Amino acid sequence: MSPNYKRYDLGQQPAGTVVEVVLSCINNIRLMDNDNFALYAESKNCRYIGGRTEKSPARLTIPRAGHWHVVVDKTGFQTLANSNVRAIPPKAIQPANAAAPRKAASPATAEAS
């Protein structure tokens, strides 16, 4: 039996982080904080940002600092999409003469369930 969803644990993220999700086919994308992911994993009602996603890549913005998860699920679809997720940190406002090298965003680690 194939998994119904794939979870990406983004860990602690600041507000304004953009989460980019690439999908191989139409699926649902759900961006959730830690508490809501726990509810989702228990098949309980939860709150999330996102939903049915037809265009890839999709970009969602984290509204507040905290521990975040992205779930790609096939609810309403036959196939779980191949997916890739990355977190893009908010851009720091810097004076033009104080440009500093930027650290590359690291991809999230996936966990199938």
Side-chain angles (χ1 to χ4, degrees):
M1 184 169 163
S2 67
N4 292 321
Y5 69 89
K6 188 182 291 186
R7 173 179 68 117
Y8 295 87
D9 186 340
L10 302 175
Q12 290 292 327
Q13 296 292 331
T17 297
V18 174
V19 179
E20 183 179 78
V21 183
V22 177
L23 299 175
S24 63
C25 61
I26 299 171
N27 265 194
N28 302 301
I29 297 173
R30 304 173 198 269
L31 175 63
M32 296 175 252
D33 62 21
N34 221 30
D35 292 338
N36 281 290
F37 176 72
L39 292 170
Y40 175 88
E42 294 176 7
S43 298
K44 295 181 179 177
N45 287 337
C46 64
R47 297 184 66 162
Y48 58 87
I49 297 168
R52 178 186 171 108
T53 304
E54 297 182 9
K55 293 186 179 183
S56 180
R59 291 178 184 89
L60 306 169
T61 302
I62 292 177
R64 65 186 180 286
H67 191 131
W68 290 87
H69 303 266
V70 171
V71 170
V72 175
D73 76 44
K74 67 177 190 174
T75 302
F77 306 100
Q78 291 183 348
T79 303
L80 182 61
N82 291 323
S83 55
N84 191 355
V85 173
R86 72 178 178 137
I88 304 166
K91 295 183 181 188
I93 300 172
Q94 298 180 358
N97 61 352
R102 303 238 172 160
K103 183 179 176 184
S106 59
T109 304
E111 182 178 300
S113 298

